[in-house]
mmCIF file of all heavy atoms in Angstrom:
data_model
loop_
_atom_site.group_PDB
_atom_site.id
_atom_site.type_symbol
_atom_site.label_atom_id
_atom_site.label_comp_id
_atom_site.label_asym_id
_atom_site.label_seq_id
_atom_site.Cartn_x
_atom_site.Cartn_y
_atom_site.Cartn_z
ATOM 1 N N LEU A 1136 -3.440 44.113 4.872
ATOM 2 C CA LEU A 1136 -3.922 43.251 5.940
ATOM 3 C C LEU A 1136 -2.871 43.296 7.031
ATOM 4 O O LEU A 1136 -1.692 43.087 6.773
ATOM 5 C CB LEU A 1136 -4.101 41.822 5.442
ATOM 6 C CG LEU A 1136 -5.261 41.580 4.497
ATOM 7 C CD1 LEU A 1136 -5.242 40.151 3.983
ATOM 8 C CD2 LEU A 1136 -6.575 41.859 5.187
ATOM 9 N N GLY A 1137 -3.308 43.587 8.234
ATOM 10 C CA GLY A 1137 -2.367 43.678 9.340
ATOM 11 C C GLY A 1137 -1.897 45.108 9.518
ATOM 12 O O GLY A 1137 -2.556 46.059 9.110
ATOM 13 N N LEU A 1138 -0.745 45.257 10.136
ATOM 14 C CA LEU A 1138 -0.197 46.573 10.437
ATOM 15 C C LEU A 1138 0.383 47.238 9.195
ATOM 16 O O LEU A 1138 0.921 46.556 8.317
ATOM 17 C CB LEU A 1138 0.904 46.446 11.498
ATOM 18 C CG LEU A 1138 0.474 45.847 12.838
ATOM 19 C CD1 LEU A 1138 1.693 45.576 13.708
ATOM 20 C CD2 LEU A 1138 -0.494 46.780 13.543
ATOM 21 N N PRO A 1139 0.317 48.590 9.114
ATOM 22 C CA PRO A 1139 0.913 49.279 7.951
ATOM 23 C C PRO A 1139 2.420 49.050 7.850
ATOM 24 O O PRO A 1139 2.977 48.974 6.777
ATOM 25 C CB PRO A 1139 0.611 50.750 8.207
ATOM 26 C CG PRO A 1139 -0.423 50.787 9.264
ATOM 27 C CD PRO A 1139 -0.360 49.492 10.010
ATOM 28 N N VAL A 1140 3.094 48.963 9.010
ATOM 29 C CA VAL A 1140 4.535 48.695 9.032
ATOM 30 C C VAL A 1140 4.718 47.279 9.554
ATOM 31 O O VAL A 1140 4.123 46.881 10.552
ATOM 32 C CB VAL A 1140 5.278 49.700 9.937
ATOM 33 C CG1 VAL A 1140 6.752 49.356 10.008
ATOM 34 C CG2 VAL A 1140 5.084 51.115 9.428
ATOM 35 N N ASN A 1141 5.549 46.509 8.879
ATOM 36 C CA ASN A 1141 5.784 45.118 9.242
ATOM 37 C C ASN A 1141 7.085 45.030 10.033
ATOM 38 O O ASN A 1141 8.146 45.335 9.518
ATOM 39 C CB ASN A 1141 5.871 44.272 7.968
ATOM 40 C CG ASN A 1141 5.842 42.795 8.249
ATOM 41 O OD1 ASN A 1141 5.367 42.358 9.279
ATOM 42 N ND2 ASN A 1141 6.343 42.013 7.332
ATOM 43 N N TYR A 1142 7.003 44.587 11.279
ATOM 44 C CA TYR A 1142 8.185 44.538 12.129
ATOM 45 C C TYR A 1142 8.922 43.206 12.041
ATOM 46 O O TYR A 1142 10.107 43.143 12.321
ATOM 47 C CB TYR A 1142 7.794 44.820 13.582
ATOM 48 C CG TYR A 1142 7.249 46.214 13.744
ATOM 49 C CD1 TYR A 1142 5.879 46.444 13.770
ATOM 50 C CD2 TYR A 1142 8.099 47.301 13.824
ATOM 51 C CE1 TYR A 1142 5.379 47.727 13.895
ATOM 52 C CE2 TYR A 1142 7.606 48.578 13.934
ATOM 53 C CZ TYR A 1142 6.243 48.796 13.977
ATOM 54 O OH TYR A 1142 5.765 50.070 14.080
ATOM 55 N N LEU A 1143 8.225 42.141 11.692
ATOM 56 C CA LEU A 1143 8.836 40.817 11.569
ATOM 57 C C LEU A 1143 8.672 40.345 10.137
ATOM 58 O O LEU A 1143 7.561 40.319 9.618
ATOM 59 C CB LEU A 1143 8.132 39.823 12.492
ATOM 60 C CG LEU A 1143 8.167 40.097 13.982
ATOM 61 C CD1 LEU A 1143 7.289 39.102 14.718
ATOM 62 C CD2 LEU A 1143 9.584 40.027 14.501
ATOM 63 N N PHE A 1144 9.763 39.973 9.502
ATOM 64 C CA PHE A 1144 9.652 39.420 8.155
ATOM 65 C C PHE A 1144 10.903 38.621 7.820
ATOM 66 O O PHE A 1144 11.973 38.868 8.336
ATOM 67 C CB PHE A 1144 9.409 40.499 7.100
ATOM 68 C CG PHE A 1144 10.389 41.645 7.130
ATOM 69 C CD1 PHE A 1144 11.539 41.606 6.372
ATOM 70 C CD2 PHE A 1144 10.134 42.757 7.916
ATOM 71 C CE1 PHE A 1144 12.433 42.670 6.390
ATOM 72 C CE2 PHE A 1144 11.020 43.817 7.938
ATOM 73 C CZ PHE A 1144 12.177 43.780 7.182
ATOM 74 N N GLU A 1145 10.710 37.671 6.941
ATOM 75 C CA GLU A 1145 11.770 36.778 6.460
ATOM 76 C C GLU A 1145 12.346 37.371 5.183
ATOM 77 O O GLU A 1145 11.593 37.801 4.319
ATOM 78 C CB GLU A 1145 11.146 35.405 6.204
ATOM 79 C CG GLU A 1145 11.901 34.497 5.286
ATOM 80 C CD GLU A 1145 13.173 33.962 5.861
ATOM 81 O OE1 GLU A 1145 14.183 34.666 5.756
ATOM 82 O OE2 GLU A 1145 13.168 32.855 6.392
ATOM 83 N N LEU A 1146 13.644 37.404 5.071
ATOM 84 C CA LEU A 1146 14.285 37.953 3.865
ATOM 85 C C LEU A 1146 14.979 36.909 3.007
ATOM 86 O O LEU A 1146 15.077 37.065 1.795
ATOM 87 C CB LEU A 1146 15.330 39.008 4.251
ATOM 88 C CG LEU A 1146 14.807 40.376 4.625
ATOM 89 C CD1 LEU A 1146 15.945 41.258 5.117
ATOM 90 C CD2 LEU A 1146 14.117 41.029 3.453
ATOM 91 N N THR A 1147 15.493 35.854 3.615
ATOM 92 C CA THR A 1147 16.343 34.907 2.903
ATOM 93 C C THR A 1147 15.515 33.822 2.228
ATOM 94 O O THR A 1147 14.747 33.137 2.883
ATOM 95 C CB THR A 1147 17.330 34.245 3.884
ATOM 96 O OG1 THR A 1147 18.026 35.270 4.591
ATOM 97 C CG2 THR A 1147 18.315 33.353 3.152
ATOM 98 N N PRO A 1148 15.667 33.670 0.907
ATOM 99 C CA PRO A 1148 14.955 32.571 0.242
ATOM 100 C C PRO A 1148 15.518 31.224 0.679
ATOM 101 O O PRO A 1148 16.715 31.086 0.922
ATOM 102 C CB PRO A 1148 15.230 32.790 -1.249
ATOM 103 C CG PRO A 1148 15.974 34.059 -1.369
ATOM 104 C CD PRO A 1148 16.440 34.473 -0.015
#
Side-chain angles (χ1 to χ4, degrees):
L1136 289 175
L1138 300 171
V1140 177
N1141 191 22
Y1142 296 98
L1143 299 173
F1144 52 91
E1145 160 71 275
L1146 282 174
T1147 307

